[in-house]
Amino acid sequence: MAEEDRMTLAPTELYGRSDEEQQNGPKIWRRKTEEPPGNCIVYSLTIIVIVFAVCLILSLIFLRISKPEIETVSISTSDLRFGGNSSNPYFNATLVSDISIRNSNFGAFEFEESSLRIVYADHGVVGETTIGGRRVEAHKT
């Protein structure tokens, strides 16, 4: 009957019986696979660095910067005047030129005001004009 009056005060699985002397202090149960909380930060930073490295490598391979392609589409003359004799010839013409700039990059390309010179054989520059600055959008002409 004395045993029926006994009452346990704590769960016996974790701490043993409350009326028994504990050996080597209380038992603290942890899962053996539990890792310290600092490893989560290390793993997260490692994943971020790996993702950044992969994006950098892919961008260097596929997103290479290329030079814009400049092409003369057509040149025509208007107001062509010529004359003179064999010792003193002259000619005067207005050239109309259509130039295209193709940008194959993923970003816009801007160019400042430039100049265009026309050279005739070995006689040097026979004409010059300015080209206003413009902006060529990505993958546009």
Side-chain angles (χ1 to χ4, degrees), residues 48-116:
I48 289 172
V49 167
I50 290 172
V51 167
F52 179 75
V54 167
C55 289
L56 182 65
I57 290 170
L58 289 176
S59 67
L60 288 175
I61 292 172
F62 294 110
L63 302 178
R64 293 186 181 191
I65 297 173
S66 61
K67 294 179 182 178
E69 299 170 11
I70 301 173
E71 180 183 3
T72 302
V73 177
S74 66
I75 296 178
S76 61
T77 60
S78 64
D79 299 330
L80 178 61
R81 287 179 268 143
F82 58 92
N85 53 25
S86 61
S87 63
N88 191 15
Y90 75 92
F91 73 94
N92 188 7
T94 301
L95 297 175
V96 179
S97 177
D98 185 16
I99 299 171
S100 69
I101 300 174
R102 184 175 181 273
N103 183 14
S104 60
N105 294 317
F106 285 96
F109 170 73
E110 296 179 13
F111 61 94
E112 298 177 0
E113 189 171 297
S114 304
S115 63
L116 174 69

